[in-house]
Amino acid sequence: MSEKLDMFFNRLTKVYKHLGKQAARQGISCYRVYDHDLPEFPFCIEFYGERLYLAEYRRRHGMDEDQHDEWLYTCLPVISTVLGVPVDEIYWRQRERKAGRQGQYTRQSEEGEFFTVPEGGLSFLVNLTDYLDTGLFLDHRLTRARVREEAAGKDVLNLFAYTGSFSVYAAAGGARSVTTVDLSKTYLGWAERNMQLNGLQDPRRTYIHADVKQYLGTLPGEAFDLVVMDPPTFSNSKRMKDFLDIQRDHVPLLNEVLRAVRPGGAVYFSTNFTRFVLDREAIAAAGVKDITRATTPFDFEGKLKRWCYLLQK
């Protein structure tokens, strides 16, 4: 165990030295510093300002509960020492390693500990205790920046919006209107709080509690200029009329979205399904561009488990 801990110490030191410099140079305080680099230490470690989020991916480790606790408590001081964060500022979660974001809507705890972190000159509420996800998907940092750059004077639609970070970026970029749609009232409320936190609340910022698959059928044609759609890989929530399978459903979903986009408009579509295959020929877009690499942040290079596309109307 001592030898393996030394390996972990050395690996974590190396990646932190590299990524920490890049983060400091770019003024970024929320970033991923380690993601299962060594199979014996299957952690995802992310900085959120002065705090650390530590997720341990479930695996068959052959340890009983006491042995696992002992192993974990030998790892925490290593992480604390290398990254310079006190152990009591490390927030630990255990999660399944799955494609997509299943479990996103499942509350794990009731601590209700929210705090604010900066990104791109904006502020966002995160929660490292109550949910499997923190409230801010770090892998979309560059995609959010693109949306802000393109949003001025546009009507923007954010589907499967989660906590509304894309909506905040669009509003900050001068969007004429921003419509935020999600199945969860909890996350819609979170999205609205994020908007208020940045002083961007406005009657033209609307929040719609709906199943996206059903909601799209209610939209008039050519109502939006810019759409963001970042759906889960699979969802069978009881609040939905039908389950969502993004490989099966992406063509009708995207064609419905494109119907609601004005000529010259654009759709940012992403998915975390690693085996995803886009059916380009069946999508009624004037152009489709794979922008996965172009939207991959420095802290996810070589490890990003998602696809991102730009569709032009």
Side-chain angles (χ1 to χ4, degrees), residues 66-228:
D66 289 339
Q67 290 171 328
H68 176 266
D69 288 347
E70 182 180 355
W71 169 81
L72 178 64
Y73 291 129
T74 60
C75 294
L76 289 175
V78 173
I79 296 168
S80 174
T81 299
V82 173
L83 302 183
V85 176
V87 170
D88 59 4
E89 292 295 333
I90 299 175
Y91 294 75
W92 173 75
R93 275 260 169 257
Q94 191 175 62
R95 61 186 303 163
E96 302 284 351
R97 184 159 198 145
K98 294 179 179 178
R101 287 163 178 157
Q102 301 98 321
Q104 174 178 314
Y105 297 110
T106 305
R107 195 175 183 98
Q108 305 292 308
S109 176
E110 298 288 341
E111 295 181 36
E113 184 181 341
F114 287 83
F115 60 94
T116 302
V117 296
E119 186 190 84
L122 299 167
S123 298
F124 297 92
L125 290 167
V126 298
N127 181 310
L128 305 184
T129 58
D130 294 357
Y131 302 90
L132 283 179
D133 291 307
T134 65
L136 187 64
F137 291 133
L138 304 183
D139 59 315
H140 272 306
R141 189 186 307 121
L142 297 181
T143 323
R144 287 190 282 269
R146 278 180 170 237
V147 168
R148 175 165 57 185
E149 291 168 3
E150 299 169 15
K154 295 180 178 178
D155 294 308
V156 178
L157 175 63
N158 186 8
L159 300 169
F160 304 98
Y162 188 41
T163 60
S165 57
F166 275 108
S167 298
V168 173
Y169 267 81
R176 178 169 48 207
S177 69
V178 182
T179 302
T180 303
V181 185
D182 200 272
L183 186 63
S184 166
K185 289 183 179 179
T186 297
Y187 288 118
L188 281 175
W190 196 331
E192 190 165 5
R193 290 167 65 196
N194 276 332
M195 196 74 80
Q196 293 168 349
L197 184 64
N198 290 279
L200 294 168
Q201 62 268 47
D202 185 284
R204 294 168 297 177
R205 321 292 184 220
T206 57
Y207 306 87
I208 297 177
H209 176 231
D211 172 0
V212 168
K213 290 180 72 175
Q214 304 302 316
Y215 170 76
L216 287 173
T218 71
L219 288 178
E222 301 183 1
F224 296 94
D225 304 291
L226 181 61
V227 180
V228 178

Side-chain angles (χ1 to χ4, degrees), residues 99 233 245-252 254 269-283 288 290 292 305-309 311:
T233 294
D245 179 326
I246 198 57
Q247 183 63 68
R248 181 197 70 176
D249 297 332
H250 77 278
V251 169
L254 287 170
F269 164 63
S270 65
T271 173
N272 279 62
F273 183 34
T274 54
R275 298 189 301 277
F276 180 75
V277 178
L278 186 75
D279 189 352
R280 292 172 181 256
E281 299 301 318
I283 296 170
V288 178
D290 184 341
T292 304
K305 301 292 194 297
R306 67 145 170 85
W307 300 90
C308 192
Y309 301 92
L311 284 64

Side-chain angles (χ1 to χ4, degrees), residues 29-43:
S29 64
C30 300
Y31 63 99
R32 182 167 294 183
V33 70
Y34 176 96
D35 193 0
H36 209 166
D37 293 46
L38 300 175
E40 299 92 343
F41 299 90
F43 298 123

